[in-house]
């Protein structure tokens, strides 16, 4: 059975289990059987706004809305769909890294070259050891994760071979964002993650900035404005660091956390800077 057919079958099964309608062939996405969000959304995308600031309390109305958004996102991701999510740096597009059809959909809707890798989002530092061959101290991982960094290491056999098949490396993200950590942990598998924008266009700090992509998405999670301003520095994204060579590190993309990241790598762990060529 082809990967695309497997993903379609998985989508139908999940849809039936959580009360989603798959619709006829050619329709954009399933819909949850509940009243539409009062926020305007383009056809093909359901918009859910996260309540509060992220520090929601158990058994509160805000927590109920938070859980609703998590469950809706997990259902769509398990069904092979692409979902827009907030992170600690930018808005991103997420899909199941194990679903080859979903990976292709991300490249297609972004107009992204398939020679450019997608990062993997995980929920815990402990998960990194399952999907990567780690050659740095555990303390280093915990000093940088969660945080606005992408750590590039040698990938393990656990990852889908259709994810970045052109490189033995993979970039790992654990965003310093409560919703993304909850989502990755509830999903219980690696999520492919990239910025929510068309390739070559500016990255997005709020959901309106990538509204043109909404019709191609199943769900948009609105976490409000990311960052405190509109300066170019706010749109740099995560700092991408190659840690695949023991004792060395390479800065692939400076990003928004360059100084703090290099200080930890050099001063605390004694790693030497080197050239990196992941991207």
């Amino acid at each position: 059975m082809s990967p695309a057919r497997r993903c379609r079958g998985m989508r139908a099964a999940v849809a039936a289990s959580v009360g989603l309608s798959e619709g006829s062939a050619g329709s954009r996405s399933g819909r949850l059987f509940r009243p539409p969000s009062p926020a305007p959304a383009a056809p093909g995308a359901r918009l859910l706004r996260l309540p509060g600031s992220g520090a929601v309390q158990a058994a509160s109305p805000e927590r109920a809305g938070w859980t609703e958004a998590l469950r809706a996102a997990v259902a769509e991701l398990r069904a092979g769909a692409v979902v827009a999510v907030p992170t600690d740096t930018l808005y991103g597009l997420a899909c199941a890294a194990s679903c080859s059809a979903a990976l292709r959909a991300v490249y297609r809707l972004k107009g992204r070259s398939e020679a450019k890798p997608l990062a993997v989002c995980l929920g815990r530092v402990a998960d990194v050891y399952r999907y990567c061959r780690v050659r740095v101290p555990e303390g280093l991982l915990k000093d940088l994760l969660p945080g606005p960094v992408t750590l590039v290491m040698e990938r393990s056999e656990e990852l889908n071979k259709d994810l970045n098949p052109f490189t033995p490396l993979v970039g790992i993200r654990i965003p310093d964002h409560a919703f993304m950590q909850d989502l990755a942990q509830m999903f219980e598998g690696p999520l492919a993650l990239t910025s929510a924008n068309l390739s070559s266009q500016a990255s997005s700090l709020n959901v309106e900035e990538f509204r043109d992509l909404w019709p191609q998405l199943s769900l948009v999670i609105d976490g409000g404005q990311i960052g405190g301003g509109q300066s170019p520095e706010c749109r740099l994204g995560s700092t991408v660091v190659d840690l695949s060579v023991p004792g060395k590190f390479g800065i692939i993309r400076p990003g928004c956390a360059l100084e703090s990241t290099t200080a930890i790598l050099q001063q605390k762990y004694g790693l030497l800077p080197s050239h990196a060529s992941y991207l």
Side-chain angles (χ1 to χ4, degrees):
M1 184 182 293
S2 69
R5 184 170 297 177
R6 283 198 301 271
C7 287
R8 287 196 297 269
M10 179 169 60
R11 184 178 181 87
V14 173
S17 69
V18 297
L20 295 174
S21 173
E22 269 295 292
S24 60
S27 64
R28 284 195 174 100
S29 67
R31 295 303 187 97
L32 288 168
F33 286 126
R34 45 173 80 123
S37 168
R46 183 165 189 260
L47 182 69
L48 287 177
R49 288 198 174 105
L50 291 181
S53 62
V56 293
Q57 301 298 316
S60 69
E62 284 194 347
R63 184 66 199 177
W66 184 270
T67 302
E68 176 192 12
L70 282 172
R71 288 175 176 169
V74 168
E76 293 293 345
L77 291 165
R78 289 178 178 169
V82 181
V83 173
V85 291
T87 77
D88 53 349
T89 56
L90 307 166
Y91 272 87
L93 302 178
C95 73
S98 61
C99 184
S100 300
L103 297 174
R104 291 193 294 271
V106 169
Y107 280 102
R108 184 170 59 251
L109 68 89
K110 277 180 63 78
R112 182 181 177 91
S113 167
E114 293 189 1
K116 298 186 69 174
L118 301 176
V120 166
C121 176
L122 303 175
R124 307 176 183 88
V125 170
D127 297 333
V128 178
Y129 292 87
R130 178 177 178 181
Y131 299 106
C132 295
R133 306 188 194 285
V134 180
R135 294 189 171 95
V136 296
E138 182 179 9
L140 186 154
L141 295 184
K142 291 183 175 180
D143 280 342
L144 294 178
L145 301 174
V149 296
T150 301
L151 303 183
V152 177
M153 291 173 278
E154 184 180 350
R155 60 190 286 163
S156 77
E157 296 298 321
E158 290 281 335
L159 285 173
N160 180 3
K161 290 180 171 56
D162 289 334
L163 174 74
N164 310 334
F166 45 83
T167 175
L169 307 179
V170 66
I172 297 296
R173 280 275 277 138
I174 303 181
D176 189 12
H177 192 285
F179 181 81
M180 285 305 297
Q181 291 178 43
D182 285 354
L183 177 62
Q185 291 173 27
M186 184 179 288
F187 182 72
E188 298 182 329
L191 298 173
L193 184 66
T194 184
S195 57
N197 59 292
L198 292 172
S199 288
S200 79
Q201 292 191 2
S203 50
S204 301
L205 298 176
N206 62 69
V207 296
E208 291 297 328
E209 293 182 341
F210 60 93
R211 193 182 182 95
D212 288 349
L213 297 182
W214 289 13
Q216 302 175 71
L217 303 172
S218 292
L219 182 66
V220 175
I221 301 295
D222 185 355
Q225 181 76 18
I226 295 175
Q230 291 291 332
S231 67
E233 290 75 16
C234 293
R235 300 179 189 272
L236 292 177
S238 64
T239 295
V240 184
V241 185
D242 186 346
L243 295 176
S244 62
V245 179
K248 297 183 179 181
F249 74 94
I251 299 299
I252 297 171
R253 183 176 71 192
C256 63
L258 178 61
E259 291 186 9
S260 59
T261 301
T262 54
I264 290 172
L265 295 173
Q266 290 183 288
Q267 297 172 20
K268 186 170 183 179
Y269 292 97
L271 272 61
L272 299 174
S274 67
H275 176 69
S277 58
Y278 172 60
L279 297 181

